[in-house]
Amino acid sequence: MARDKKETLKKIVSAARSEFQKTGFEKASIRKIASDAGLTSAALYRHFSSKEEIFSYLVDPGIKAMRQWMEMHEKTSYEMIDLGNIDEAKSESSIDMIKEVVFPHLDAFKLLLCSAQGTKYENFIHETVEEHQKGLRRGLEYLKDKGYPVMDISDETLHM
């Protein structure tokens, strides 16, 4: 029975990903997802309580991986600053994050960027930029506290 549940979950996930990518969250149909997975809507609801729960199931691993990468990057940068290795502190970049996080979770990020309207993730880009801006601000303050010369940069400039 457990194997059947796993197979059914795979079918639901595949059907949901396809439906969300084609129509976006708001226009996606639970009936269509269930049908494409070979289920009734009632059977689908035994696995997920709502359309939003399915969407979250698809995107949350990518978001979690991105947040973990950003936290580790910030921690490592502070450690390098403490050791006086300022060049090492800034060696990882957004390109590294794209290679290490976005590409391995590409489907999740496509959904977040193109299909999230109507979900709690619809402001994902804006919220992520604001999170990154706060991290940059913390980093600049940390450098300043350690005695490094730091230009005064406005929040608007950091936001860009």
Side-chain angles (χ1 to χ4, degrees), residues 22-143:
K22 286 178 192 167
T23 65
F25 175 82
E26 290 181 317
K27 293 182 181 176
S29 163
I30 284 289
R31 280 193 189 123
K32 175 92 167 86
I33 293 168
S35 174
D36 289 353
L39 302 168
T40 64
S41 298
L44 185 143
Y45 281 119
R46 284 188 224 122
H47 295 271
F48 293 97
S49 63
S50 67
K51 186 167 68 166
E52 179 122 8
E53 186 180 348
I54 300 170
F55 194 86
S56 293
Y57 184 87
L58 294 170
V59 300
D60 282 349
I63 293 170
K64 181 179 177 186
M66 185 186 72
R67 288 194 174 124
Q68 287 174 334
W69 188 93
M70 290 173 74
E71 286 173 18
M72 182 55 73
H73 173 68
E74 188 171 317
K75 180 179 180 247
T76 302
S77 294
Y78 290 162
E79 289 170 357
M80 292 297 111
I81 291 167
D82 289 344
L83 294 171
N85 297 333
I86 191 77
D87 290 333
E88 286 289 318
K90 57 185 179 178
S91 66
E92 284 188 330
S93 70
S94 296
I95 300 298
D96 295 313
M97 197 239 324
I98 290 168
K99 289 188 312 191
E100 296 168 21
V101 177
V102 175
F103 284 149
H105 296 92
L106 194 54
D107 285 337
F109 286 100
K110 282 181 183 178
L111 289 173
L112 285 165
L113 298 177
C114 302
S115 304
Q117 189 168 359
T119 72
K120 64 183 179 182
Y121 307 98
E122 68 183 351
N123 295 313
F124 172 76
I125 295 171
H126 176 73
E127 291 166 1
T128 300
V129 168
E130 285 192 337
E131 233 177 273
H132 190 64
Q133 178 184 336
K134 289 175 187 172
L136 288 170
R137 176 65 62 210
R138 284 190 304 271
L140 291 171
E141 291 302 318
Y142 193 78
L143 284 167

